Amino acid sequence: INAEYMGVFNLLLLFITMGNHTKKVGICGKYGTRYGATLRKVIKKMEVTQHSKYNCAFCGKDAVTRLATGIWKCKRCKKTMAGGAYCLSTAAAVTVRTAVSRLRKSQADKN
């Protein structure tokens, strides 16, 4: 048996013995069976949100990514903005934004 044939055979054996992708755990597969299922589920939610791309309020493109905790930057228009630790806009920020807009509207109606 020649060496080239053995190389192809080893490559095929490698593909047959490689593991499949994770079905449920996704990005938390790196933790294996450690830390418990509930904690891994919480961490999965956080890691998926922090690694996803968000819509930029300035240019309208899905290009905002996380630089560090609470710091988000648009790859297209190079704007840097503050946000939540794991997602661009937090629930508290949305509440404040709606309250401020409601107060501005009421002030405009009075004048």
Side-chain angles (χ1 to χ4, degrees):
I1 299 174
N2 61 9
E4 186 178 320
Y5 177 74
M6 284 303 291
V8 172
F9 179 74
N10 287 338
L11 191 63
L12 285 173
L13 189 63
L14 179 69
F15 280 126
I16 291 170
T17 57
M18 282 178 66
N20 294 330
H21 290 289
T22 58
K23 192 180 282 187
K24 294 180 184 177
V25 293
I27 198 168
C28 286
K30 61 187 175 187
Y31 299 119
T33 58
R34 297 180 297 274
Y35 313 116
T38 307
L39 286 176
R40 279 185 278 123
K41 196 184 299 182
V42 171
I43 293 297
K44 179 183 177 184
K45 183 180 173 191
M46 288 202 274
E47 287 193 4
V48 166
T49 55
Q50 84 179 27
H51 290 122
S52 60
K53 291 185 178 177
Y54 289 91
N55 190 22
C56 181
F58 299 100
C59 66
K61 180 129 173 139
D62 282 335
V64 179
T65 54
R66 182 178 185 253
L67 283 182
T69 307
I71 302 171
W72 299 81
K73 185 167 186 172
C74 180
K75 299 274 185 193
R76 184 173 181 226
C77 63
K78 306 288 191 270
K79 293 264 189 187
T80 304
M81 53 202 98
Y86 303 111
C87 60
L88 180 60
S89 183
T90 61
V94 171
T95 305
V96 169
R97 200 176 302 126
T98 55
V100 167
S101 67
R102 184 172 38 81
L103 289 170
R104 277 190 183 151
K105 187 177 178 188
S106 68
Q107 287 291 327
D109 291 342
K110 287 181 183 177
N111 294 333

